[in-house]
């Protein structure tokens, strides 16, 4: 993956895709097909960087299909759905990620998905669970808590 990652760092996305993906057949080129979860994740990440979120979603899902407990892929899929203004679908993937691995960032983004859908009380409950583990995340959660409280009249 060294060459692919080097091309990505250089923002030579089309060349990176040509290295890893048979775009006609939508299959990974050997040796990148040895770890499908990782290979599809890298392809998805390239499309994400190209801001082609719908294609990124389809390849992140392929990554997830290979390893169904991949919370990073779930989180990445949810981020793509946020980018295309579908917090309802982002919520589904974030709930799955939180159920497997309740990382604070997943909980925070789940709260954001609920907030974006107008579920302010439920979002507030989640924002209030964000601890000081990551002070920046905690600060953002506190700001969003204030906004949620304003929305529900607390």
């Amino acid at each position: 993956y060294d060459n692919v990652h080097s091309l990505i760092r250089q923002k030579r996305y089309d060349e990176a895709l040509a290295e890893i993906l048979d775009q006609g057949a939508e299959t990974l080129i050997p040796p990148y097909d040895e770890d499908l979860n990782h290979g599809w994740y890298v392809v998805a990440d390239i499309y994400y960087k190209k801001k082609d979120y719908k294609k990124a979603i389809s390849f992140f899902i392929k990554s997830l299909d290979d390893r169904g407990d991949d919370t990073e892929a779930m989180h990445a899929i949810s981020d793509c759905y946020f980018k295309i203004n579908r917090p309802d679908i982002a919520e589904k993937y974030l709930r799955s990620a939180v159920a497997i691995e309740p990382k604070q960032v997943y909980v925070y983004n789940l709260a954001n998905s609920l907030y974006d859908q107008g579920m302010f009380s439920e979002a507030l409950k989640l924002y209030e669970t964000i601890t000081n583990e990551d002070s920046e995340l905690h600060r953002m959660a506190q700001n969003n808590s204030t906004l949620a409280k304003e929305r529900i009249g607390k």
Side-chain angles (χ1 to χ4, degrees):
Y1 283 92
D2 291 343
N3 188 45
V4 171
H5 289 299
S6 175
L7 291 168
I8 293 169
R9 280 191 299 278
Q10 296 171 50
K11 299 183 180 181
R12 294 165 55 192
Y13 303 129
D14 291 333
E15 291 173 63
L17 282 172
E19 175 83 17
I20 192 170
L21 180 68
D22 178 334
Q23 293 183 41
E26 285 202 352
T27 58
L28 293 171
I29 297 170
Y32 304 106
D33 61 349
E34 291 174 12
D35 179 353
L36 294 176
N37 173 261
H38 184 68
W40 290 127
Y41 193 99
V42 171
V43 169
D45 191 49
I46 294 168
Y47 280 109
Y48 182 89
K49 287 174 175 20
K50 290 174 56 115
K51 299 184 184 338
D52 188 340
Y53 302 116
K54 289 182 181 180
K55 266 211 164 157
I57 288 167
S58 71
F59 288 107
F60 280 129
I61 288 172
K62 284 183 179 225
S63 176
L64 190 58
D65 285 346
D66 187 64
R67 202 181 102 217
D69 65 345
D70 185 347
T71 57
E72 288 185 27
M74 293 173 197
H75 189 237
I77 293 166
S78 74
D79 191 42
C80 290
Y81 278 114
F82 274 119
K83 297 284 190 189
I84 61 172
N85 200 30
R86 291 300 309 267
D88 55 321
I89 302 174
E91 175 192 354
K92 171 189 162 196
Y93 285 96
L94 288 163
R95 285 193 185 279
S96 295
V98 167
I100 295 167
E101 184 180 12
K103 283 184 175 180
Q104 296 281 282
V105 68
Y106 300 166
V107 173
Y108 173 77
N109 286 321
L110 175 56
N112 286 343
S113 74
L114 298 169
Y115 183 96
D116 290 350
Q117 294 176 77
M119 297 180 217
F120 306 115
S121 294
E122 193 174 346
L124 178 60
K125 288 176 192 170
L126 290 176
Y127 288 133
E128 290 176 343
T129 69
I130 305 298
T131 64
N132 281 321
E133 279 179 36
D134 176 335
S135 60
E136 179 64 15
L137 192 63
H138 183 258
R139 185 193 63 72
M140 292 186 306
Q142 291 302 105
N143 288 341
N144 289 358
S145 289
T146 301
L147 295 173
K149 286 175 185 174
E150 289 171 4
R151 293 292 189 128
I152 57 180
K154 280 192 171 185

